Amino acid sequence: MLSNVGFIIVAVIASVTIIVCSIGIIIASRFQNKQKKKFTEVNYLVNKNRDSRFSVKEGLTNEEINNIDSNVNVDILMSELYSTYVEMENKIKNFDTNFDDILTGSLKEFNINRIENFKSKGFTDITDGIDLINYTITEYSKEKLIFRLTINCFSYKTVNNQIVSGSNLEKIQKILLLTYENVNGKWLISSYDKIYERKLSD
């Protein structure tokens, strides 16, 4: 009698174990199938888009800017912003410290002091032969804006007319972020950040 009861208990435990294991195997199998399906889908998308370029919004549209300030002609504004930048580089190259209507704030003082220091040490930091690639306004308010600028140019430094870095023969590409502030109706550069630079021969 006891042996029958023991046999039944063992049989029940074995049956429960088999059922639990079977359920576990089924769940694991379904999970694996789902993972395999996801991997296949992701792999398909990666291969499909391997050679495609993703479109990234780099700047504000004219319409977006005009929604903030309906009085501004965006195309003319960007042309003026670019001209202001080029004028800044020309003044630095020619040791001209008159940055009125070009720079403002600490950037203006920094460049005045830098040029005076250049003169005393026979040093130059030249950006020349500028070719515009593209530009866009990335942030805009009536008081302040950020201007993203991509150019190809010669960029080099000299000491006593001898080039010590860079080149005046091979151009590089630069991407700049320039902050402008509206001072009495004139957009003046208040900050200059170089965010990317590469040799065009690379």
Side-chain angles (χ1 to χ4, degrees):
M1 178 108 178
L2 214 65
S3 61
N4 287 340
V5 171
F7 176 77
I8 292 170
I9 291 171
V10 170
V12 169
I13 292 172
S15 298
V16 169
T17 302
I18 291 170
I19 291 169
V20 169
C21 288
S22 298
I23 291 172
I25 291 170
I26 292 169
I27 291 172
S29 177
R30 286 182 177 176
F31 178 76
Q32 274 188 329
N33 287 336
K34 282 184 178 179
Q35 290 298 102
K36 187 176 179 181
K37 185 180 178 183
K38 282 184 180 178
F39 174 78
T40 302
E41 290 173 353
V42 170
N43 195 44
Y44 169 75
L45 289 173
V46 168
N47 289 328
K48 180 182 177 183
N49 296 302
R50 187 183 301 276
D51 297 320
S52 65
R53 294 187 176 185
F54 293 95
S55 170
V56 178
K57 189 172 187 290
E58 293 187 345
L60 300 175
T61 64
N62 289 20
E63 184 180 3
E64 287 170 328
I65 294 172
N66 284 139
N67 286 337
I68 300 168
D69 185 355
S70 59
N71 294 319
V72 65
N73 184 313
V74 180
D75 293 329
I76 291 176
L77 172 61
M78 289 197 292
S79 178
E80 290 174 349
L81 296 175
Y82 175 67
S83 294
T84 300
Y85 162 73
V86 172
E87 193 172 352
M88 177 193 74
E89 294 291 8
N90 285 336
K91 283 184 175 288
I92 292 171
K93 178 178 66 176
N94 294 312
F95 299 108
D96 185 348
T97 57
N98 181 11
F99 289 106
D100 294 344
D101 296 329
I102 297 172
L103 306 180
T104 188
S106 59
L107 184 65
K108 180 178 181 180
E109 296 304 316
F110 170 78
N111 276 287
I112 291 171
N113 293 332
R114 186 166 70 134
I115 287 173
E116 294 297 341
N117 192 42
F118 285 175
K119 286 180 181 177
S120 66
K121 296 184 177 179
F123 182 80
T124 65
D125 186 358
I126 295 175
T127 299
D128 201 6
I130 299 171
D131 298 322
L132 175 65
I133 305 304
N134 59 57
Y135 53 46
T136 186
I137 294 172
T138 61
E139 295 181 28
Y140 183 88
S141 73
K142 291 182 179 181
E143 296 77 34
K144 186 177 180 179
L145 64 82
I146 296 178
F147 189 53
R148 178 186 168 109
L149 179 64
T150 303
I151 58 170
N152 292 344
C153 62
F154 298 114
S155 181
Y156 58 96
K157 296 177 174 62
T158 70
V159 176
N160 297 323
N161 297 319
Q162 298 294 317
I163 294 176
V164 293
S165 69
S167 172
N168 63 350
L169 299 175
E170 295 183 8
K171 290 190 174 183
I172 62 171
Q173 185 168 99
K174 290 184 182 182
I175 299 177
L176 310 173
L177 278 184
L178 306 174
T179 302
Y180 289 71
E181 293 182 14
N182 193 333
V183 180
N184 299 321
K186 180 79 174 178
W187 289 101
L188 308 180
I189 304 171
S190 63
S191 178
Y192 173 108
D193 292 300
K194 181 174 66 179
I195 61 173
Y196 176 78
E197 180 178 304
R198 73 174 180 90
K199 292 181 179 179
L200 291 175
S201 57
D202 289 349

